[in-house]
Amino acid sequence: MMPARPSEPPEGARPQLDNLTLSRKEGLRALAEAEPRKLPELLTPKQVAGLGEAARLEYEHERSVWHANLGPIKTPQLKALHEDLWDIVTSNQQDGDKAKGAVSVDAFPGLGKTTAVLDFALKYHRQVITREGAFTAARHERWPVCRVGLTSNIGMKDFNRSLLEFYGHPGRKSGTAALFAQRALDCVLECESKILIIDDLHFLRWQDKNGTEVSNHFKYIANEFPVTLIFIGVELAGRGLYSESDSRGDITLAQTARRTTPLTMEPFVVTNDKHRVEWRSMLLALEQRIVLSRKFPGMLADELSDYLYIRTTAHIGSLMTLINRGCQRAARTGAELLDENLLDQVKLDAAAERARKALEKKFALRRMTTKPRSGTAKATAGKTVA
């Protein structure tokens, strides 16, 4: 017997955000509507040492969970993407007889594209629920956003089943691909969904039978579902998303290409003072969120600025992982601050470690620096990203 999927958590209970999946509507709502995490109290080393055993374990757990969830940081890249997404989504309020434009967010791994799109989607969910309520006029649950993650070699039936799984439709276990599509449309209409996020689109093999089938299905969704499609993936242009035809001369991809607006996210660069100030502001924002008893102003932005840029090659995903793991080690070992010594002991993703060597040479030869001119740095010292 399948366990029930409750639509509401027990009254007064905080949702278990570490035990949710965004492939289910309940998980997306729990994340969107959860109260913001409370910043743990910053205790001095003496205060930490004075805690009783139970209190110390609770404090360490609280800090550990906090450091594992430091983001998202409102970087210039994230803000710019959000502005574009708001433009497109709000302009897609045409009547249902008109097809809506789609979006593709295409960037290399580790640049925060999924995090940024999800952050936008959660804001959109909260706005709609606040404005229109949790239930539609027909008393169906309102779900402004639906998200589906693709797997390798996915076919149309599998894709439609994933849509039904998100909504918890009772007919998701059996039926044809066409029947699944009709049920998915019913869910979208009854729940008044307005955004459909399709993540990991690079898994789709555009040139084989399943890929062409699902690509054609996207055209059907754009025509028949009153939603804005947001695709997320890596090297989508090279994989054929914007192609006018496939290798067989089939022009069915052309409509997808004409209706899809490509967006991207770039890594941080430090080619001029404006960019260096953006990097510094982001590190200052991160500093404010760190809960280590020996941290000090400028711990990241002054002492570790070049090191963090080199070590993570300015990829926000790698940076957040390094800071998270570094904070976990610093708290566990009693170091209670971040420095090069400690961070050198923290393992990081292979791509960042590979690219690190080339950057190290440029910084050693003073061809690159993350440090803005002193006057510029002082003028922007109090201006951190949110």
Side-chain angles (χ1 to χ4, degrees), residues 143-177:
W143 297 101
V145 178
C146 173
R147 177 201 165 274
V148 174
L150 296 192
T151 59
S152 60
N153 204 32
I154 192 170
M156 189 168 75
K157 186 173 181 179
D158 298 322
F159 177 79
N160 289 335
R161 183 186 286 115
S162 295
L163 283 172
L164 296 179
E165 285 285 355
F166 178 87
Y167 290 102
H169 192 286
R172 64 191 183 276
K173 298 300 181 185
S174 62
T176 63

Side-chain angles (χ1 to χ4, degrees), residues 55-113:
R56 186 183 61 78
L57 289 174
E58 179 60 28
Y59 181 65
E60 295 304 340
H61 176 69
E62 188 181 354
R63 280 203 299 177
S64 180
V65 172
W66 172 263
H67 287 138
N69 295 278
L70 286 174
I73 301 293
K74 303 301 187 288
T75 63
Q77 294 91 329
L78 182 143
K79 291 178 181 177
L81 179 65
H82 280 197
E83 287 299 315
D84 289 331
L85 288 173
W86 282 120
D87 285 345
I88 294 164
V89 170
T90 54
S91 69
N92 270 355
Q93 298 181 88
Q94 307 98 325
D95 293 337
D97 61 323
K98 301 177 183 69
K100 303 179 188 303
V103 184
S104 69
V105 181
D106 185 351
F108 286 117
L111 293 177
K113 57 188 179 296

Side-chain angles (χ1 to χ4, degrees), residues 89-386:
V89 170
T90 54
S91 69
N92 270 355
Q93 298 181 88
Q94 307 98 325
D95 293 337
D97 61 323
K98 301 177 183 69
K100 303 179 188 303
V103 184
S104 69
V105 181
D106 185 351
F108 286 117
L111 293 177
K113 57 188 179 296
T114 296
T115 299
V117 171
L118 181 58
D119 189 52
F120 169 83
L122 299 179
K123 286 189 173 88
Y124 182 83
H125 172 99
R126 290 190 290 269
Q127 278 195 14
V128 173
I129 295 299
T130 300
R131 185 179 67 240
E132 302 179 22
F135 292 89
T136 69
R139 304 309 296 164
H140 297 294
E141 289 182 334
R142 188 187 306 281
W143 297 101
V145 178
C146 173
R147 177 201 165 274
V148 174
L150 296 192
T151 59
S152 60
N153 204 32
I154 192 170
M156 189 168 75
K157 186 173 181 179
D158 298 322
F159 177 79
N160 289 335
R161 183 186 286 115
S162 295
L163 283 172
L164 296 179
E165 285 285 355
F166 178 87
Y167 290 102
H169 192 286
R172 64 191 183 276
K173 298 300 181 185
S174 62
T176 63
L179 189 55
F180 282 172
Q182 288 303 313
R183 290 170 182 165
L185 177 57
D186 289 341
C187 288
V188 166
L189 294 175
E190 290 176 358
C191 300
E192 298 188 4
S193 300
K194 299 302 179 187
I195 292 176
L196 172 55
I197 298 171
I198 301 174
D199 204 354
D200 292 323
L201 190 63
H202 47 272
F203 284 149
L204 190 64
R205 299 175 184 174
W206 294 92
Q207 309 304 334
D208 70 10
K209 180 177 179 293
N210 280 348
T212 302
E213 186 181 70
V214 175
S215 172
N216 290 342
H217 191 51
F218 292 157
K219 186 183 77 169
Y220 165 76
I221 289 175
N223 286 337
E224 304 298 332
F225 287 43
V227 297
T228 298
L229 283 164
I230 301 180
F231 303 114
I232 307 174
V234 178
E235 296 185 341
L236 299 182
R239 296 173 192 275
L241 178 61
Y242 314 123
S243 300
E244 296 290 338
S245 64
D246 65 13
S247 58
R248 299 182 296 273
D250 188 344
I251 62 168
T252 54
L253 291 177
Q255 199 165 33
T256 301
R258 291 290 178 181
R259 288 181 179 171
T260 304
T261 301
L263 303 177
T264 191
M265 293 187 76
E266 301 289 346
F268 279 91
V269 294
V270 288
T271 52
N272 58 44
D273 255 15
K274 176 179 179 293
H275 294 148
R276 295 180 193 115
V277 166
E278 289 174 352
W279 174 253
R280 176 181 171 79
S281 297
M282 190 264 299
L283 293 182
L284 287 171
L286 261 178
E287 266 183 33
Q288 292 172 2
R289 300 189 186 192
I290 289 173
V291 185
L292 295 174
S293 61
R294 290 191 174 93
K295 81 168 188 177
F296 55 89
M299 181 179 71
L300 301 186
D302 294 327
E303 299 300 317
L304 292 171
S305 179
D306 282 358
Y307 174 87
L308 292 172
Y309 191 92
I310 294 167
R311 185 79 194 277
T312 65
T313 60
H315 282 60
I316 190 70
S318 299
L319 176 67
M320 297 303 288
T321 298
L322 180 61
I323 297 300
N324 173 18
R325 293 177 183 174
C327 287
Q328 305 290 349
R329 182 180 284 258
R332 189 177 64 252
T333 61
E336 293 293 341
L337 59 76
L338 299 180
D339 58 21
E340 289 191 30
N341 240 356
L342 182 139
L343 291 175
D344 273 340
Q345 300 172 53
V346 175
K347 303 299 186 293
L348 202 54
D349 61 272
E353 295 295 359
R354 267 199 315 270
R356 176 184 181 181
K357 293 180 181 177
L359 270 181
E360 279 179 330
K361 292 179 182 177
K362 292 180 180 179
F363 275 81
L365 295 171
R366 300 187 182 278
R367 293 177 183 169
M368 292 181 70
T369 180
T370 64
K371 306 291 179 63
R373 291 189 298 271
S374 58
T376 309
K378 287 176 183 176
T380 59
K383 299 179 182 178
T384 61
V385 292

Side-chain angles (χ1 to χ4, degrees), residues 30-46:
L31 189 59
E33 300 181 6
E35 289 293 320
R37 293 182 189 275
K38 186 179 177 182
L39 179 71
E41 184 181 359
L42 181 58
L43 301 180
T44 66
K46 185 176 180 180

